[in-house]
Amino acid sequence: MEERRIATPGTPPDAELELGRLGEFVGFRLRRIQNQLSREFAQVTGRYQLRQGLFSALAIISANPGLSQVMLAREVGLDKSMAVMMVDDLERRGWAERRRSTVDRRRHALYTTEAGEAWLAEMFAALEVVEHDVLDALGKDDLRVLNAILDRVYTACFRG
Amino acid sequence: MEERRIATPGTPPDAELELGRLGEFVGFRLRRIQNQLSREFAQVTGRYQLRQGLFSALAIISANPGLSQVMLAREVGLDKSMAVMMVDDLERRGWAERRRSTVDRRRHALYTTEAGEAWLAEMFAALEVVEHDVLDALGKDDLRVLNAILDRVYTACFRG
DNA sequence: TATTGTTATACTCTATAACTATA
DNA sequence: TATAGTTATAGAGTATAACAATA
């Protein structure tokens, strides 16, 4: 079962087709890549029985111990109600925990557990496999360039 | 009503937060940007009452008159059943039409209508506004670099 | 009054499976 | 047998609105 085949949608586009003016838009490229990547992601993480946002959420909690749910939501770019559900899930699995903040009793301070850190390490390894083809095709340098540009793009999204 | 405010989720992340090892992964950046961009897209296109894929689909039909639905699906990176629904929608709006292919009678050859082209032009203009901040923050050169890298990424997705 | 967390709900996007008609 | 198109359906991901507790 080491097969890496993906169902119908994972088929590459015909080389002859034109993008036309659509090719000028970042949004289009982003979406099609992200669709593809998240299908592969789902394949890998499917074995682990988890939903998309979970991994990112735990990784961010791990990198920022004690952060609040609102902060988490902002960092992943989703609504705070999403943070609630994700943290619920993480807690249920025993990978993260909420502690009432001592400074602001409205807040929950979020922390990873030991089991959470272990799982995180496992997932990082698995995800490197998912992104392997991408990393390969780009090389370290271009990857850095890409990430830097993407960060600028993300920041630019918030200049109203 | 020229406001550009976006509801809760559009709030920028706290600058102090760390991405940690997550920062090495393209998938994460892609998803958060794409979420943000598609929210803005939805804001703009909401007035036009249309769903996400529609614009890309029509643009591709316009750039490749006579293509089949399977080809369309592959180009946008989705399942063929999606193509059916999108073309249904486009036809209902009078922006595209199916004609039985003369060479292979299983196929539908897709074409845009005059109204479709007009609407497409309108949408391209509207979308330039959506991506304006992004384009601004990058500049023509970096944008080209970004698009080129993204295309390589997309292609790399299919090297199983 | 504003913010944090919460719940319930509804909507959009997408894949899957089963089917038909052609090839 | 394989491909193009179709249909119906189920699942994931997400936003919205309304609310309680705390600031």
Short mmCIF file of all heavy atoms in Angstrom, two decimals, chain A residues 57-69 71-72 96-99 101 107-113 117 120, chain B residues 16-20:
data_model
loop_
_atom_site.label_atom_id
_atom_site.label_comp_id
_atom_site.label_asym_id
_atom_site.label_seq_id
_atom_site.Cartn_x
_atom_site.Cartn_y
_atom_site.Cartn_z
N ALA A 57 -2.53 24.36 14.36
CA ALA A 57 -2.91 24.90 15.66
C ALA A 57 -1.93 24.43 16.74
O ALA A 57 -1.39 25.25 17.49
CB ALA A 57 -4.32 24.47 16.01
N LEU A 58 -1.70 23.12 16.78
CA LEU A 58 -0.82 22.60 17.81
C LEU A 58 0.60 23.13 17.65
O LEU A 58 1.27 23.47 18.63
CB LEU A 58 -0.81 21.07 17.79
CG LEU A 58 -0.15 20.44 19.01
CD1 LEU A 58 -0.84 20.87 20.29
CD2 LEU A 58 -0.12 18.93 18.91
N ALA A 59 1.04 23.25 16.41
CA ALA A 59 2.38 23.76 16.16
C ALA A 59 2.52 25.19 16.67
O ALA A 59 3.56 25.56 17.25
CB ALA A 59 2.69 23.69 14.67
N ILE A 60 1.49 25.96 16.50
CA ILE A 60 1.55 27.36 16.95
C ILE A 60 1.48 27.45 18.47
O ILE A 60 2.17 28.26 19.09
CB ILE A 60 0.42 28.18 16.30
CG1 ILE A 60 0.79 28.42 14.83
CG2 ILE A 60 0.22 29.49 17.02
CD1 ILE A 60 -0.27 29.10 14.04
N ILE A 61 0.68 26.59 19.08
CA ILE A 61 0.65 26.55 20.54
C ILE A 61 2.02 26.16 21.07
O ILE A 61 2.53 26.76 22.02
CB ILE A 61 -0.41 25.55 21.04
CG1 ILE A 61 -1.81 26.03 20.63
CG2 ILE A 61 -0.33 25.41 22.55
CD1 ILE A 61 -2.91 25.03 20.94
N SER A 62 2.61 25.20 20.42
CA SER A 62 3.93 24.73 20.83
C SER A 62 4.97 25.85 20.75
O SER A 62 5.84 25.97 21.60
CB SER A 62 4.36 23.55 19.97
OG SER A 62 5.72 23.26 20.17
N ALA A 63 4.85 26.67 19.71
CA ALA A 63 5.82 27.73 19.51
C ALA A 63 5.52 28.96 20.37
O ALA A 63 6.37 29.83 20.54
CB ALA A 63 5.88 28.13 18.03
N ASN A 64 4.30 29.02 20.90
CA ASN A 64 3.90 30.17 21.71
C ASN A 64 3.13 29.74 22.95
O ASN A 64 1.94 30.02 23.08
CB ASN A 64 3.02 31.12 20.88
CG ASN A 64 3.68 31.56 19.59
OD1 ASN A 64 4.44 32.50 19.58
ND2 ASN A 64 3.38 30.84 18.51
N PRO A 65 3.79 29.09 23.89
CA PRO A 65 3.10 28.54 25.06
C PRO A 65 2.39 29.64 25.83
O PRO A 65 2.95 30.72 26.02
CB PRO A 65 4.25 27.97 25.91
CG PRO A 65 5.43 27.88 25.01
CD PRO A 65 5.25 28.92 23.96
N GLY A 66 1.15 29.36 26.20
CA GLY A 66 0.40 30.31 27.00
C GLY A 66 -0.44 31.29 26.21
O GLY A 66 -1.12 32.14 26.79
N LEU A 67 -0.40 31.20 24.90
CA LEU A 67 -1.19 32.15 24.11
C LEU A 67 -2.69 31.90 24.29
O LEU A 67 -3.10 30.84 24.74
CB LEU A 67 -0.80 32.07 22.63
CG LEU A 67 -1.50 31.05 21.72
CD1 LEU A 67 -1.15 31.35 20.28
CD2 LEU A 67 -1.11 29.64 22.09
N SER A 68 -3.49 32.89 23.93
CA SER A 68 -4.93 32.78 24.09
C SER A 68 -5.56 32.21 22.82
O SER A 68 -4.92 32.12 21.78
CB SER A 68 -5.54 34.15 24.38
OG SER A 68 -5.52 34.94 23.21
N GLN A 69 -6.83 31.87 22.92
CA GLN A 69 -7.51 31.29 21.76
C GLN A 69 -7.71 32.32 20.66
O GLN A 69 -7.64 32.00 19.48
CB GLN A 69 -8.84 30.68 22.19
CG GLN A 69 -8.65 29.51 23.12
CD GLN A 69 -9.93 28.76 23.45
OE1 GLN A 69 -9.91 27.77 24.17
NE2 GLN A 69 -11.05 29.24 22.95
N MET A 71 -5.73 34.79 20.02
CA MET A 71 -4.44 34.95 19.35
C MET A 71 -4.19 33.80 18.38
O MET A 71 -3.72 34.01 17.27
CB MET A 71 -3.32 35.01 20.38
CG MET A 71 -3.25 36.33 21.14
SD MET A 71 -2.30 36.16 22.68
CE MET A 71 -0.62 36.37 22.09
N LEU A 72 -4.52 32.62 18.83
CA LEU A 72 -4.37 31.45 17.96
C LEU A 72 -5.19 31.61 16.69
O LEU A 72 -4.71 31.39 15.57
CB LEU A 72 -4.79 30.19 18.71
CG LEU A 72 -4.84 28.89 17.89
CD1 LEU A 72 -3.47 28.57 17.32
CD2 LEU A 72 -5.37 27.74 18.73
N ALA A 96 -3.08 18.95 23.95
CA ALA A 96 -2.96 20.34 24.44
C ALA A 96 -3.89 20.51 25.62
O ALA A 96 -4.77 19.68 25.84
CB ALA A 96 -3.31 21.32 23.34
N GLU A 97 -3.69 21.57 26.37
CA GLU A 97 -4.61 21.82 27.49
C GLU A 97 -4.83 23.31 27.70
O GLU A 97 -3.99 24.14 27.35
CB GLU A 97 -4.07 21.18 28.77
CG GLU A 97 -2.68 21.64 29.17
CD GLU A 97 -2.16 20.86 30.37
OE1 GLU A 97 -2.52 19.68 30.51
OE2 GLU A 97 -1.39 21.44 31.16
N ARG A 98 -5.99 23.62 28.24
CA ARG A 98 -6.34 24.99 28.59
C ARG A 98 -6.08 25.18 30.07
O ARG A 98 -6.47 24.33 30.88
CB ARG A 98 -7.82 25.26 28.34
CG ARG A 98 -8.27 25.17 26.90
CD ARG A 98 -9.77 25.45 26.80
NE ARG A 98 -10.43 24.37 26.09
CZ ARG A 98 -11.13 24.52 24.96
NH1 ARG A 98 -11.29 25.72 24.44
NH2 ARG A 98 -11.69 23.50 24.35
N ARG A 99 -5.47 26.30 30.42
CA ARG A 99 -5.40 26.68 31.83
C ARG A 99 -5.93 28.10 31.92
O ARG A 99 -5.61 28.94 31.08
CB ARG A 99 -3.96 26.65 32.34
CG ARG A 99 -3.24 25.33 32.07
CD ARG A 99 -1.83 25.35 32.63
NE ARG A 99 -1.01 24.30 32.02
CZ ARG A 99 0.32 24.35 31.93
NH1 ARG A 99 0.97 25.40 32.41
NH2 ARG A 99 0.99 23.36 31.37
N SER A 101 -6.08 31.75 32.52
CA SER A 101 -5.01 32.72 32.64
C SER A 101 -5.09 33.41 34.00
O SER A 101 -6.18 33.72 34.48
CB SER A 101 -5.13 33.76 31.52
OG SER A 101 -4.33 34.89 31.82
N ARG A 107 -9.44 34.75 29.78
CA ARG A 107 -8.63 33.98 28.84
C ARG A 107 -8.34 32.56 29.27
O ARG A 107 -8.28 32.24 30.45
CB ARG A 107 -7.28 34.68 28.65
CG ARG A 107 -7.37 35.95 27.89
CD ARG A 107 -5.98 36.40 27.52
NE ARG A 107 -6.04 37.73 26.90
CZ ARG A 107 -4.98 38.46 26.61
NH1 ARG A 107 -3.78 38.00 26.89
NH2 ARG A 107 -5.12 39.64 26.05
N HIS A 108 -8.11 31.75 28.24
CA HIS A 108 -7.50 30.45 28.45
C HIS A 108 -6.08 30.52 27.93
O HIS A 108 -5.86 30.95 26.80
CB HIS A 108 -8.26 29.36 27.71
CG HIS A 108 -9.48 28.88 28.41
ND1 HIS A 108 -10.63 28.53 27.77
CD2 HIS A 108 -9.71 28.68 29.73
CE1 HIS A 108 -11.52 28.15 28.66
NE2 HIS A 108 -11.00 28.23 29.85
N ALA A 109 -5.14 30.12 28.74
CA ALA A 109 -3.76 30.02 28.27
C ALA A 109 -3.56 28.60 27.74
O ALA A 109 -3.91 27.64 28.40
CB ALA A 109 -2.80 30.31 29.41
N LEU A 110 -3.03 28.52 26.54
CA LEU A 110 -2.92 27.22 25.88
C LEU A 110 -1.51 26.65 25.98
O LEU A 110 -0.53 27.38 25.80
CB LEU A 110 -3.32 27.35 24.41
CG LEU A 110 -4.70 27.95 24.16
CD1 LEU A 110 -4.94 28.15 22.66
CD2 LEU A 110 -5.79 27.07 24.77
N TYR A 111 -1.45 25.37 26.25
CA TYR A 111 -0.16 24.68 26.34
C TYR A 111 -0.24 23.32 25.68
O TYR A 111 -1.30 22.69 25.67
CB TYR A 111 0.25 24.50 27.81
CG TYR A 111 0.48 25.81 28.53
CD1 TYR A 111 -0.56 26.42 29.21
CD2 TYR A 111 1.73 26.43 28.50
CE1 TYR A 111 -0.37 27.63 29.86
CE2 TYR A 111 1.94 27.63 29.15
CZ TYR A 111 0.88 28.23 29.83
OH TYR A 111 1.07 29.43 30.46
N THR A 112 0.87 22.86 25.15
CA THR A 112 0.92 21.51 24.63
C THR A 112 1.23 20.55 25.78
O THR A 112 1.77 20.96 26.80
CB THR A 112 2.03 21.35 23.58
OG1 THR A 112 3.28 21.71 24.17
CG2 THR A 112 1.77 22.23 22.38
N THR A 113 0.88 19.29 25.58
CA THR A 113 1.27 18.27 26.54
C THR A 113 2.48 17.53 26.00
O THR A 113 2.91 17.77 24.86
CB THR A 113 0.14 17.25 26.74
OG1 THR A 113 -0.06 16.57 25.50
CG2 THR A 113 -1.14 17.93 27.16
N GLU A 117 3.57 17.07 22.03
CA GLU A 117 4.87 17.35 21.44
C GLU A 117 5.39 16.15 20.66
O GLU A 117 5.98 16.29 19.59
CB GLU A 117 5.88 17.76 22.52
CG GLU A 117 5.66 19.15 23.10
CD GLU A 117 5.83 20.27 22.06
OE1 GLU A 117 6.62 20.08 21.10
OE2 GLU A 117 5.17 21.32 22.20
N LEU A 120 3.49 15.92 17.51
CA LEU A 120 3.90 17.02 16.64
C LEU A 120 5.17 16.64 15.88
O LEU A 120 5.28 16.86 14.67
CB LEU A 120 4.14 18.25 17.50
CG LEU A 120 3.98 19.63 16.87
CD1 LEU A 120 2.71 19.72 16.08
CD2 LEU A 120 4.03 20.70 17.95
N GLU B 16 3.91 39.53 17.65
CA GLU B 16 4.86 38.85 18.55
C GLU B 16 4.85 37.34 18.40
O GLU B 16 5.78 36.67 18.83
CB GLU B 16 4.56 39.19 20.01
CG GLU B 16 4.05 40.59 20.28
CD GLU B 16 2.54 40.63 20.24
OE1 GLU B 16 1.93 39.73 20.82
OE2 GLU B 16 1.98 41.55 19.61
N LEU B 17 3.81 36.81 17.81
CA LEU B 17 3.71 35.35 17.76
C LEU B 17 4.74 34.71 16.83
O LEU B 17 5.08 35.25 15.80
CB LEU B 17 2.30 34.95 17.34
CG LEU B 17 1.22 35.09 18.41
CD1 LEU B 17 -0.04 34.38 17.99
CD2 LEU B 17 1.70 34.56 19.75
N GLU B 18 5.15 33.52 17.23
CA GLU B 18 6.14 32.77 16.46
C GLU B 18 5.46 31.69 15.62
O GLU B 18 4.46 31.12 16.05
CB GLU B 18 7.11 32.07 17.42
CG GLU B 18 7.90 32.98 18.33
CD GLU B 18 8.94 33.75 17.54
OE1 GLU B 18 9.35 33.26 16.48
OE2 GLU B 18 9.33 34.84 17.99
N LEU B 19 6.03 31.41 14.47
CA LEU B 19 5.53 30.28 13.69
C LEU B 19 6.26 29.00 14.07
O LEU B 19 5.74 27.91 13.92
CB LEU B 19 5.71 30.54 12.20
CG LEU B 19 4.75 31.53 11.56
CD1 LEU B 19 4.94 31.56 10.07
CD2 LEU B 19 3.31 31.15 11.92
N GLY B 20 7.47 29.16 14.56
CA GLY B 20 8.26 27.98 14.92
C GLY B 20 8.56 27.15 13.68
O GLY B 20 8.70 27.69 12.58
#
